[in-house]
Amino acid sequence: LFISCLYLVYCLIATLLILSLRFLFPVSLQAQTTVCRVGYYTFDGILSDRTGNTSNTGIAVGTPTYSCGVDGQALLLDGANDQVRIPNTASVAGEFDREDFTVSFYFKPIGINGTQYLFSKRDTACANNPREISIRYVPGSRTLNTFLAQDEDKDVNIINLVDNGACWQQLTVVRENLRVKIFINGEF
């Protein structure tokens, strides 16, 4: 499993804006918001948070390596025991409970068996705190399973089919109030 560019944004829902201004000649601009950005991981040969917050630096578990990505390098996880952990003391540790947020990343599934956890965050005291977000991919059925739990009685499980034959898939999860939207390759 390859993962490239992970954006973690909360507070104000942020989306990629593509602006086209017409003056004497056409101009195209692209912007990625930094408003309320909590974490930004390019996985371009490093596990650090590009926002500059060093407490958010990822810790490699297993032997993840780097390979060719969407833009630059990507993180290659072998499917056995590789993962990247963000310390529980990091600023991202308190996210994904009741605030609005956006998570966006590219992934390139490899293999055909098992369930691949793309993204997962839950409190270390799981029995006492049901807050959780997990995004899993099942290559055999090409399905994405996105699960969010805010409280014991408020959770959602969304299953999407990934039918795009593209090598890299872009996934964006937006939570706004109690609504959750899933965009796969830009489509809702």
Side-chain angles (χ1 to χ4, degrees):
L1 175 71
F2 294 88
I3 297 192
S4 182
C5 295
L6 173 64
Y7 300 96
L8 304 175
V9 180
Y10 84 105
C11 186
L12 300 174
I13 298 300
T15 57
L16 181 63
L17 302 174
I18 300 176
L19 306 172
S20 180
L21 305 173
R22 302 226 181 241
F23 295 103
L24 299 175
F25 52 90
V27 177
S28 292
L29 303 172
Q30 291 187 355
Q32 174 63 41
T33 185
T34 58
V35 175
C36 298
R37 187 183 322 183
V38 175
Y40 173 48
Y41 299 86
T42 61
F43 299 124
D44 195 12
I46 60 171
L47 299 177
S48 62
D49 177 3
R50 294 293 182 123
T51 66
N53 186 340
T54 57
S55 71
N56 286 343
T57 298
I59 300 167
V61 177
T63 56
T65 58
Y66 296 94
S67 186
C68 183
V70 173
D71 181 24
Q73 291 183 313
L75 189 63
L76 174 59
L77 307 173
D78 68 8
N81 64 348
D82 289 354
Q83 58 183 282
V84 175
R85 290 184 171 266
I86 308 300
N88 207 26
T89 57
S91 65
V92 297
E95 304 309 323
F96 308 114
D97 49 13
R98 291 187 172 98
E99 296 93 5
D100 293 343
F101 63 83
T102 299
V103 174
S104 181
F105 59 88
Y106 288 90
F107 73 99
K108 178 181 176 182
I110 55 175
I112 57 170
N113 297 320
T115 299
Q116 300 170 354
Y117 279 79
L118 305 177
F119 184 88
S120 178
K121 193 270 183 204
R122 75 168 98 189
D123 195 292
T124 53
C126 300
N128 300 327
N129 188 349
R131 295 183 187 140
E132 172 185 356
I133 176 173
S134 63
I135 303 169
R136 298 174 293 193
Y137 180 70
V138 180
S141 61
R142 296 186 60 90
T143 54
L144 272 168
N145 180 320
T146 304
F147 177 76
L148 285 90
Q150 174 178 312
D151 294 309
E152 289 179 17
D153 60 344
K154 292 180 187 164
D155 60 47
V156 64
N157 190 34
I158 302 170
I159 298 174
N160 297 90
L161 180 64
V162 178
D163 59 4
N164 184 330
C167 213
W168 285 95
Q169 309 290 329
Q170 183 186 26
L171 175 66
T172 303
V173 178
V174 178
R175 186 220 162 168
E176 186 174 19
N177 296 315
L178 295 177
R179 293 186 53 135
V180 177
K181 299 177 189 172
I182 309 292
F183 296 89
I184 301 173
N185 300 317
E187 294 184 20
F188 176 61

